[in-house]
Amino acid sequence: TGVRRIIEIGTSPVLCGMVSKTLDSSNGFMYMEVDVLHVAQDRETVCYLDRKAPEVPEPKAESSLPPKAVVKQAPAKEEREEKAPSAQEEPAASVLEEPSGTADFDDKAPHAIDVIAAVVARKFNMEREAVPLDKSIKALSAGKSTLQNEIFGDLHKEFAGKLPSKVEDLVLSELAASVTAFDGQLGKHTQAQITRLFSSKMPGGFSLSAARSLLQSSYGLGPKRQDGVLLYALASEPKARLGGDSEAKQWVGEIATRYAKQEGISLSAKRSSGSGSSVSGGGGPMVSSAAVDALQRKQTDFARQQMEVLARYAGVDLNSANIRADSEKVKSAGL
């Protein structure tokens, strides 16, 4: 069967890069995929935490007895009159309108240079914009073989072994150009790092899906450009867990702004369309004043109809007070 998985146990993935180089240069592993993992960086995969338990449908209770016949009584006249208005009532959510602002840019997937720059920036604790694309990994690491092996192991896992030889000697721009089989999809390494970032530094209620939804609704970024923003986020990980959703949204907005500046796109038009008279702040659903007034009128009419139905059921004349008041007015006018 051969080797399918190699796991390094240690403080840093030093041997992972060396093993990846050995596998690339060995003909015996050309036609089989071997996962090179580190016990800390790939904890979810090593411990099988990334696998969801299959959903088992609940067994239906079976009975050997024949089902009992259920006889439903016809509703009373008052109940039929009471239910009649609710059939005509429209739900309140029908008046909510989503922002209709459209982005003036296409959904573009990240390039190989974006992934390489994100991995290098994270490893050297530098901002994404500060990564020199005209330098090699060997030059950036100042000849430290341990650091070079770690970066090579990360890139090998990200691009599924589709890397040229002498990776550490190529400048980053040339290295990205040599990765011709990259299709714009994030690999195992960056996906694992993004998942770890959100689980360790974001508040409990702000998940990765919530961040993607925010990037879509408030900034008009499609799934591919969302991947580009998340690559930027890897190089700007907060030092401590953020306190709440407001801080997390602000952090995502700052990352999206930096990404847009690098890509030469504008997010202001989409952001302004999601703000203003929204119900719950920027990016929320819009409610027009006419729709709110119409809803209030419907609710008032419905409440009045319910009062009339209950009054007839209790034998109370709601107009008796008005009749007495009119009679009193007549008497006082006669005096």
Side-chain angles (χ1 to χ4, degrees):
T1 58
V3 179
R4 289 291 183 268
R5 173 176 287 192
I6 299 176
I7 302 174
E8 178 183 357
I9 301 176
T11 56
S12 60
V14 178
L15 299 179
C16 288
M18 301 174 63
V19 172
S20 300
K21 288 184 179 180
T22 303
L23 294 177
D24 289 344
S25 60
S26 176
N27 294 329
F29 295 92
M30 290 180 60
Y31 302 102
M32 60 186 302
E33 182 178 354
V34 180
D35 294 332
V36 182
L37 307 173
H38 185 260
V39 68
Q41 291 189 359
D42 307 294
R43 180 175 177 273
E44 289 78 7
T45 304
V46 172
C47 299
Y48 296 96
L49 300 178
D50 55 349
R51 297 187 179 183
K52 296 183 179 179
E55 297 182 359
V56 180
E58 297 182 359
K60 297 182 178 179
E62 298 181 358
S63 176
S64 58
L65 299 177
K68 296 182 180 180
V70 180
V71 179
K72 295 184 179 180
Q73 297 180 356
K77 179 180 180 181
E78 291 80 1
E79 294 180 357
R80 292 196 300 268
E81 293 177 353
E82 183 179 355
K83 292 180 180 179
S86 62
Q88 299 176 356
E89 172 131 5
E90 298 180 0
S94 63
V95 301
L96 300 180
E97 301 174 359
E98 294 293 335
S100 58
T102 56
D104 55 354
F105 43 83
D106 297 332
D107 191 18
K108 186 182 72 172
H111 297 296
I113 188 61
D114 300 322
V115 178
I116 295 174
V119 173
V120 172
R122 186 175 180 83
K123 187 64 66 175
F124 289 100
N125 296 322
M126 62 174 62
E127 296 293 339
R128 165 65 178 82
E129 297 87 349
V131 176
L133 304 181
D134 56 348
K135 289 187 177 182
S136 63
I137 297 176
K138 179 183 290 186
L140 292 172
S141 60
K144 297 179 181 178
S145 59
T146 300
L147 191 55
Q148 294 179 32
N149 289 330
E150 292 181 7
I151 298 175
F152 181 84
D154 295 342
L155 294 177
H156 183 276
K157 186 188 309 179
E158 178 68 19
F159 296 109
K162 301 173 183 178
L163 293 175
S165 58
K166 301 291 184 179
V167 171
E168 62 276 6
D169 295 330
L170 297 175
V171 298
L172 299 184
S173 58
E174 295 178 357
L175 175 59
S178 63
V179 185
T180 56
F182 182 65
D183 58 356
Q185 300 292 329
L186 299 184
K188 293 182 178 180
H189 175 71
T190 53
Q191 288 184 10
Q193 293 302 308
I194 291 172
T195 301
R196 189 199 63 81
L197 186 154
F198 275 83
S199 62
S200 61
K201 297 302 175 65
M202 295 295 110
F206 194 81
S207 61
L208 176 59
S209 60
R212 287 187 176 275
S213 177
L214 178 65
L215 292 172
Q216 173 69 44
S217 61
S218 297
Y219 300 96
L221 299 175
K224 297 178 181 179
R225 287 197 178 272
Q226 293 170 21
D227 290 341
V229 175
L230 294 174
L231 288 176
Y232 258 75
L234 286 179
S236 304
E237 179 178 344
K239 296 181 179 179
R241 184 183 292 272
L242 299 181
D245 289 356
S246 59
E247 294 184 14
K249 291 179 180 179
Q250 181 180 0
W251 177 78
V252 172
E254 293 174 355
I255 301 298
T257 302
R258 290 171 49 192
Y259 167 82
K261 183 178 180 181
Q262 180 73 18
E263 293 292 320
I265 59 178
S266 175
L267 303 179
S268 57
K270 181 68 179 180
R271 208 180 311 174
S272 62
S273 65
S275 60
S277 58
S278 62
V279 174
S280 59
M286 305 294 291
V287 181
S288 63
S289 58
V292 173
D293 294 339
L295 177 61
Q296 290 178 347
R297 287 194 298 270
K298 288 183 179 181
Q299 290 177 342
T300 302
D301 295 339
F302 179 61
R304 184 181 296 108
Q305 292 173 359
Q306 286 183 321
M307 290 175 59
E308 293 174 354
V309 171
L310 293 175
R312 287 196 297 269
Y313 179 78
V316 177
D317 187 4
L318 296 178
N319 296 323
S320 59
N322 295 332
I323 295 175
R324 286 197 301 269
D326 293 339
S327 62
E328 293 296 333
K329 288 182 180 179
V330 173
K331 291 180 181 180
S332 62
L335 297 176

